[in-house]
Structures are given as structure tokens and as C-alpha cells.
Amino acid sequence: MSRQDIVAEIPRLRRYARALTGEAVRADDLVQDTLERALGKWSLWGSGNLRAWLFSIMHNLYVNQARSPRLVDYPGDEALPDLPARATQNDALELRDFAHSLSRLPEEQREVVLLVALEDLSYGDTAKVLGVPVGTVMSRLSRGRERLRVLLEGSEPVEPQLKVVK
């Protein structure tokens, strides 16, 4: 692997980080921390999927940061410029609705949807990134897609009614 291989992954890392954090500043910090960690641990990387390895590092950093209290208060997205949108008003509204619906997914489902659908990782690579079995990836993806579909249709997801069986 060369420096160009890592540089080629930066747009994907930024996109995934932005989706995880919801804030451009925190996303950029997460990407920087990921790249710093990857370069520091370069000797530990074997031959394999570089993207999956980088996403694994990012996921672990994100989880660790989410568990620890924040020391710095970042400005909200309202202080940042909007992401570029396509020219038509309807497309911008659909994108906004999609981003809002995506943010309403449980974190474990959102992560799987982003890695499989947006970043085009295989189920196996996604399982390695998240540290879960492939079957868990498949069920989270299925539930996430269904919940996303319901949210995009404008209705509230119906919580399953569990019955006690004796």
C-alpha cells in the first residue's frame, strides 16, 4: 500500500464520519484521528481490505469518543455552510428528509446501512469493522432499511408488540 491508497480513501472516511457524528467539525477531527492512528499502527496492517481496516479504526475511535465526556464544545451545524445540493428544490427537500430519517435510525442500524449501502463494503467487511457476526450485519441492515423506508414514507415506525408466551 502506498500513500496514494490512503489518500484515495479520505473522501469515504469523511462521508462516513459526517454521517456518524452529524457535524462537519467533529467529522474532520474523527478522520484526522483515524489517519493518525492508521499511520502510527501501519506495521500492524497486513494485506487485506484497506478501507475496512480504516473504517474499523474510525468506528472504534468513534465509540471510544462517544463513551468519554466531551472536553470541547463544537459549534452546531447551523454555524457551518450547508452541503452542496442538486439544483432543484424537490431534490434538496428529499435529501433533507433522507438525512433526517437516517439520523432517526438506531446507531447500530445506521452504521450498517452506511457501511453497506453508502460505502459499498461487503457484509463480511462490515462485520469486521463493527466486530459483530455477519448474521447480525444482515439483520441490522434489513431492519434499518425497513425502518428507513417507513420513515421516508412519512409514517412512524410501528414498534413490534411482544406477547408473553407461557
Side-chain angles (χ1 to χ4, degrees):
M1 284 296 135
S2 67
R3 179 179 171 180
Q4 289 87 8
D5 294 330
I6 291 178
V7 170
E9 295 300 327
I10 291 175
R12 290 180 180 97
L13 291 170
R14 290 189 76 215
R15 186 172 49 225
Y16 183 53
R18 178 69 189 256
L20 282 176
T21 64
E23 298 176 18
V25 174
R26 286 185 60 212
D28 287 342
D29 288 345
L30 182 58
V31 170
Q32 182 176 344
D33 293 344
T34 300
L35 293 172
E36 182 181 345
R37 176 80 49 96
L39 292 173
K41 304 286 184 181
W42 189 252
S43 62
L44 299 178
W45 184 72
S47 60
N49 187 332
L50 177 63
R51 185 182 311 162
W53 184 63
L54 291 170
F55 281 148
S56 295
I57 293 171
M58 179 177 284
H59 174 76
N60 291 334
L61 285 170
Y62 175 72
V63 168
N64 290 341
Q65 289 171 1
R67 288 181 185 157
S68 65
R70 281 170 132 182
L71 299 177
V72 178
D73 190 22
Y74 292 97
D77 280 346
E78 56 275 352
L80 303 171
D82 290 333
L83 293 175
R86 290 175 55 189
T88 67
Q89 184 68 19
N90 285 341
D91 287 345
L93 292 173
E94 288 175 6
L95 182 61
R96 184 202 64 196
D97 292 345
F98 179 77
H100 177 70
S101 297
L102 189 62
S103 72
R104 292 183 60 200
L105 288 179
E107 185 174 334
E108 64 216 9
Q109 292 175 7
R110 185 174 61 245
E111 290 172 342
V112 171
V113 167
L114 290 170
L115 289 173
V116 172
L118 184 64
E119 299 303 336
D120 202 27
L121 286 183
S122 68
Y123 292 170
D125 287 341
T126 300
K128 288 177 188 173
V129 167
L130 300 176
V132 297
V134 174
T136 302
V137 168
M138 293 167 53
S139 66
R140 286 180 184 176
L141 181 62
S142 175
R143 289 192 315 267
R145 284 177 173 164
E146 177 61 22
R147 184 175 175 101
L148 193 57
R149 183 189 61 74
V150 170
L151 289 169
L152 288 170
E153 288 175 350
S155 58
E156 287 296 317
V158 177
E159 297 299 325
Q161 299 295 324
L162 301 177
K163 296 180 182 179
V164 177
V165 179
K166 294 182 181 184

